[in-house]
Every structure is written in C-alpha cells, then in structure tokens.
Amino acid sequence: MNDAGTISKVVTKRRGGADVGHVIMPPGTRDIPIGDVLQMPPVPGSIKWLAIATTMAGIEVHLVSRQIGGRKDIIGAWMAYRQVLKLTHIAPENMHIVEELDWAAKAPAVMQLNPEFMIDDKLEVLRAIVEYCTKHGLKIPRLYLFK
C-alpha cells in the first residue's frame, strides 16, 4: 500500500541479452574493408525479432558483443549505418562492448545486466556464463545457442 492508501503494483521490466556478431550482424566481416561490411544486411529476421521483443513483449534488450583490435569500430559503424538501435527500439546505453580476447570475458558483462535470457552464437560464451553464475551463486539465465 502506498501513502495514499491505495495498493500499488511493482512492475519489473524483463531484461534479456543478445550477441551482435553472427546473431544480428552477419558472419564474414573480420577481414573485409569497412565499406563492404556496411553493405552486408542483418541476419534475416533479427531486426524484426528484436523490435517485437522490445515493443510488443516489453523486454529491455541489451546487446553484448566482444570486439578487439583495430576492428573496434566496425560493430558501431555497421549498427549506425543499418539503424539497428532505431529500428529495434534498443536504447544506445544498452549496447555493451567487451574488449577482451577471451570469450569468457563476456560472462561478467552479461551477468551485470541480470538478464532473463542470453542469445549467443558461441557455446564457449554460454558455458562461461554457467560457470560464472555457479561460481558467484547467481541464477543462471535461459541460454540460447544461435546457429
């Protein structure tokens, strides 16, 4: 009950995570010029699914990606060119880049978000999330391997 004497409902927003490379951004971008990368369309259905998740299902989606070396700006450039955040209604602050070589480095970044689910194309990342949760006594989110 609140101060006015009425019952108030606490609403918690559902939260989920998704990788960018190979889940939204197509594979094959590692060794080609950025101009060619920009021309590559998103993974079929990914933009539509994310837009449905954020608007109709009310899920606060966070994008978590690993990017290292001199190719650090490719994800951001591709996403801006393709208007991914605008089309999916994902807030810019919900984009997280992990700058580590080890795939397992994504696990702490993902779990800081306390997601209900995580989608990734790397089994190593999903395993690292399970290990991280087990080690820290956290609830393991639903994990989806995207292939």
Side-chain angles (χ1 to χ4, degrees):
M1 208 173 286
N2 62 21
D3 292 341
T6 60
I7 296 175
S8 58
K9 181 179 175 185
V10 176
V11 178
T12 56
K13 188 139 181 126
R14 295 173 62 198
R15 183 178 290 171
D19 181 30
V20 176
H22 299 194
V23 175
I24 302 166
M25 190 175 180
T29 60
R30 183 177 310 269
D31 299 317
I32 62 175
I34 192 163
D36 293 341
V37 171
L38 296 178
Q39 300 309 312
M40 298 175 81
V43 169
S46 62
I47 301 299
K48 183 178 181 180
W49 176 86
L50 287 167
I52 290 169
T54 57
T55 58
M56 296 175 76
I59 297 171
E60 180 182 296
V61 176
H62 288 256
L63 302 176
V64 183
S65 193
R66 183 188 76 101
Q67 193 171 2
I68 56 169
R71 308 278 292 176
K72 221 162 61 171
D73 349 333
I74 288 190
I75 288 177
W78 182 84
M79 289 183 62
Y81 184 81
R82 291 288 168 178
Q83 299 183 355
V84 172
L85 298 180
K86 178 181 176 186
L87 294 172
T88 59
H89 307 279
I90 295 173
E93 61 270 16
N94 290 1
M95 179 67 207
H96 311 277
I97 301 289
V98 176
E99 296 183 32
E100 297 285 332
L101 187 58
D102 184 11
W103 291 110
K106 280 176 78 173
V110 168
M111 292 315 299
Q112 285 179 358
L113 304 171
N114 192 25
E116 191 175 304
F117 65 86
M118 179 63 190
I119 303 166
D120 206 294
D121 66 309
K122 299 280 186 263
L123 189 55
E124 298 90 340
V125 172
L126 302 179
R127 277 192 190 122
I129 291 171
V130 170
E131 290 169 8
Y132 185 87
C133 290
T134 303
K135 180 179 176 181
H136 293 87
L138 302 172
K139 179 182 176 200
I140 299 172
R142 286 183 298 227
L143 303 173
Y144 299 98
L145 181 62
F146 184 86
K147 286 293 175 186

